[in-house]
Amino acid sequence: MTEKGTWTVKKGLAEMLKGGVIMDVTTPEQAKIAEEAGACAVMALERVPADIRAAGGIARMADLSIITRIMESVTIPVMAKVRIGHFVEAQVLEYLGVDYIDESEVLTPADEQYHINKNEFKVPFVCGARNLGEALRRIGEGAAMIRTKGEPGTGNVVEAVRHMRMVSGELRRLTVLPKEELMAAAKDMGAPYELVVQVAETGRLPLVNFAAGGIATPADAALMMQLGCDGIFVGSGVFKSENPAARARAIVAATTHFNDPQVLAEVSRGLGEAMPGMDISTIAPHERMQERGW
Amino acid sequence: MKVGVLALQGAFREHCLALAGLGAEPVEVRKPEQLQGCRALIIPGGESTTIGKLMDQYGLFEPIRKMGEAGTPIFGTCAGMIMLAREIEGSEQPRLGLMNIGVSRNAFGRQVESFESELDVPVLGAKPLRGVFIRAPQVISVGPGVEVLAVYHDKVVLVRQGHLLAAAFHPELTEDNRLHAYFLAGSRL
């Protein structure tokens, strides 16, 4: 019997993206540059996070003609973002045939209490998480891939590092808890008990976990890989830099050879200016994208 | 026995686990020197364009092609099958071209069309094999010396050409390791 949209198939595409770089693109031309540089997928957007931040107002799912043109221009998988809780935007993207949906804090949330019930969809979802409880809640709702939230559009990797270290630390802690303490741990984290028991046994998330939010240099990408991430999302970091094609190629190489300082030194040379960065303390807490999601 | 797993991008970790489970010694290969001492090689699933670019950039095409021509067993899954094929429909992307097959990329459609299904694989015995197909390719032409080992609805999805084996699906994503065992058994000859 043939089955589509199974958990194995949804999670399986994320497994195929591992060790790769997924790049934000806003035009077919940028999508081709990303593919040519070795991106394993692209995220089709109307604006990159740095521009969303600058523009203000309400950020929604991208215009479908942009997404369609990007899908037609490359052979690698194409992802697109929907607002948190906006299940109709997700239905539309599933109909359109995008390969992965990002229920993303980069866009303005459509629901201040609930995320999308992602189990109902055949298309797989990726969601952001700052800590283990958040990651397990999203998995419980049906997310087939997790990423750090970081702080999008800042070119500052510090928040992605914080979120990755937080998830890893909480996983490590769970592995040493006696079984009778796991229910209280699940309660404290606000996470489904069955998933808490499962990760306490294995010490790792039951799916692929990428880094996202603030990655701007090859060294940033390698840092997140050495911290245990399975791959990298680069948002504004490529196309807000001086030489996008060269930087994209360098970040791809750094993600593969993340443990090889010789390669990292070679690819980090002569890339031109990185995107301008922002210190997190200059962004008011209510304007931080990572605070979106529940 | 040391078995290389091309670890540039994709599902190489799952292949390493399957190999270790069968008593082989997996070696992650990112640079040519890591191929030394490998008695066989697996090219995993991932994005074939990404893997091809990194193979080119880090000088892996020639040494792997030479190994294949000299008789080292190579097993390609999904993107790995594309790398092994001589012809790739509508694409000029770099490839090893070791096998007399033509393939079509994303032949079953985009991700929403990805599927899993039971496959009859006579060389593995009567019990069907669970095939996980993710934006999978298919074999559209088969040349001399190529044996078809499995089809799905008339589409060729598993082929062998002597010491070379290629699958359109992902045996590394299931617990059933019979196809890895079959490849290793062939590699010991």
Side-chain angles (χ1 to χ4, degrees):
Chain A
M1 205 184 74
T2 298
E3 294 175 274
K4 291 181 186 176
T6 61
W7 177 245
T8 306
V9 164
K10 287 175 167 181
K11 181 170 159 247
L13 180 54
E15 304 281 2
M16 296 310 137
L17 300 172
K18 277 186 311 200
V21 182
I22 301 167
M23 299 181 195
D24 278 3
V25 297
T26 57
T27 63
E29 293 69 39
Q30 289 185 351
K32 286 202 187 105
I33 292 171
E35 184 176 47
E36 190 51 39
C40 66
V42 290
M43 177 76 70
L45 286 163
E46 221 164 285
R47 297 192 184 105
V48 294
D51 290 337
I52 290 176
R53 197 177 276 292
I58 303 299
R60 310 179 182 91
M61 172 179 77
D63 188 305
L64 297 192
S65 63
I66 295 178
I67 300 173
T68 308
R69 283 193 290 133
I70 288 170
M71 285 166 68
E72 286 164 356
S73 68
V74 292
T75 60
I76 55 179
V78 175
M79 302 182 164
K81 289 185 195 288
V82 300
R83 286 179 263 177
I84 289 171
H86 205 315
F87 52 86
V88 174
E89 286 185 346
Q91 290 163 1
V92 170
L93 289 185
E94 181 176 58
Y95 174 79
L96 200 67
V98 303
D99 296 296
Y100 240 94
I101 293 178
D102 185 1
E103 186 183 18
S104 176
E105 67 281 3
V106 167
L107 305 183
T108 311
D111 191 319
E112 293 194 325
Q113 270 185 299
Y114 306 113
H115 283 249
I116 297 170
N117 177 15
K118 295 164 276 287
N119 287 309
E120 278 185 357
F121 288 80
K122 269 189 186 155
V123 62
F125 282 75
V126 54
C127 288
R130 286 170 301 175
N131 53 52
L132 185 57
E134 201 171 7
L136 296 180
R137 286 196 294 280
R138 299 294 85 83
I139 297 168
E141 293 157 356
M145 179 178 183
I146 294 293
R147 53 170 176 75
T148 62
K149 283 182 164 174
E151 188 55 37
T154 60
N156 187 344
V157 77
V158 67
E159 295 299 299
V161 168
R162 186 198 315 282
H163 299 160
M164 187 58 197
R165 282 201 183 275
M166 174 64 81
V167 169
S168 308
E170 288 173 303
L171 281 168
R172 268 196 306 276
R173 178 176 162 268
L174 279 188
T175 61
V176 297
L177 287 188
K179 286 204 169 56
E180 67 271 21
E181 295 186 15
L182 292 179
M183 182 58 87
K187 186 186 110 187
D188 292 341
M189 285 191 288
Y193 174 69
E194 290 71 22
L195 288 173
V196 170
V197 172
Q198 188 186 340
V199 300
E201 257 167 42
T202 62
R204 53 192 305 272
L205 288 175
L207 37 61
V208 169
N209 184 21
F210 268 49
I215 290 134
T217 69
D220 286 350
L223 171 68
M224 297 310 298
M225 293 298 286
Q226 288 198 28
L227 287 174
C229 288
D230 293 312
I232 304 291
F233 280 92
V234 187
S236 320
V238 169
F239 288 100
K240 284 282 156 193
S241 74
E242 189 181 342
N243 187 344
R247 185 164 295 267
R249 264 196 312 277
I251 292 176
V252 168
T255 302
T256 292
H257 299 281
F258 66 91
N259 253 335
D260 189 332
Q262 188 201 336
V263 172
L264 296 176
E266 275 165 27
V267 302
S268 298
R269 256 174 240 274
L271 297 177
E273 284 282 320
M275 70 176 284
M278 284 173 90
D279 194 275
I280 305 300
S281 64
T282 63
I283 309 169
H286 68 277
E287 286 175 359
R288 291 178 196 167
M289 291 172 172
Q290 61 176 285
E291 303 294 332
R292 299 163 166 177
W294 0 100
Chain B
M1 183 175 79
K2 273 191 184 172
V3 178
V5 178
L6 195 65
L8 297 170
Q9 191 268 323
F12 51 86
R13 187 171 66 202
E14 287 66 30
H15 277 294
C16 290
L17 291 171
L19 289 171
L22 289 163
E25 188 190 330
V27 179
E28 291 187 4
V29 174
R30 293 183 176 82
K31 288 179 154 184
E33 55 268 29
Q34 292 159 335
L35 288 165
Q36 270 180 11
C38 291
R39 298 263 308 276
L41 178 71
I42 290 181
I43 305 176
E47 276 307 310
S48 63
T49 52
T50 304
I51 294 173
K53 281 178 207 314
L54 288 162
M55 282 175 72
D56 187 37
Q57 224 174 326
Y58 291 92
L60 282 155
F61 270 109
E62 271 325 295
I64 294 178
R65 201 174 282 132
K66 283 206 182 97
M67 282 171 79
E69 283 165 356
T72 303
I74 304 179
F75 179 18
T77 59
C78 195
M81 170 190 256
I82 295 168
M83 299 311 300
L84 285 171
R86 189 148 294 163
E87 304 279 333
I88 305 172
E89 192 184 38
S91 170
E92 297 301 313
Q93 69 192 82
R95 70 206 67 178
L96 291 161
L98 287 164
M99 290 183 84
N100 284 325
I101 54 172
V103 298
S104 158
R105 288 183 62 201
N106 304 334
F108 297 88
R110 304 193 74 97
Q111 172 63 10
V112 284
E113 302 300 327
S114 292
F115 64 97
E116 41 183 319
S117 183
E118 307 291 312
L119 298 174
D120 277 323
V121 188
V123 294
L124 299 182
K127 191 181 147 204
L129 185 75
R130 190 81 178 157
V132 180
F133 293 80
I134 295 172
R135 288 172 47 97
Q138 73 167 106
V139 179
I140 50 172
S141 64
V142 170
V146 178
E147 220 182 318
V148 174
L149 302 184
V151 294
Y152 169 80
H153 290 283
D154 299 328
K155 294 178 171 178
V156 175
V157 295
L158 179 63
V159 289
R160 181 185 159 168
Q161 180 183 326
H163 59 291
L164 306 170
L165 184 66
F169 53 92
H170 293 284
E172 77 283 8
L173 294 186
T174 65
E175 299 292 306
D176 188 339
N177 60 15
R178 282 179 295 160
L179 199 53
H180 284 91
Y182 173 78
F183 172 65
L184 288 179
S187 309
R188 287 197 178 91
L189 295 177

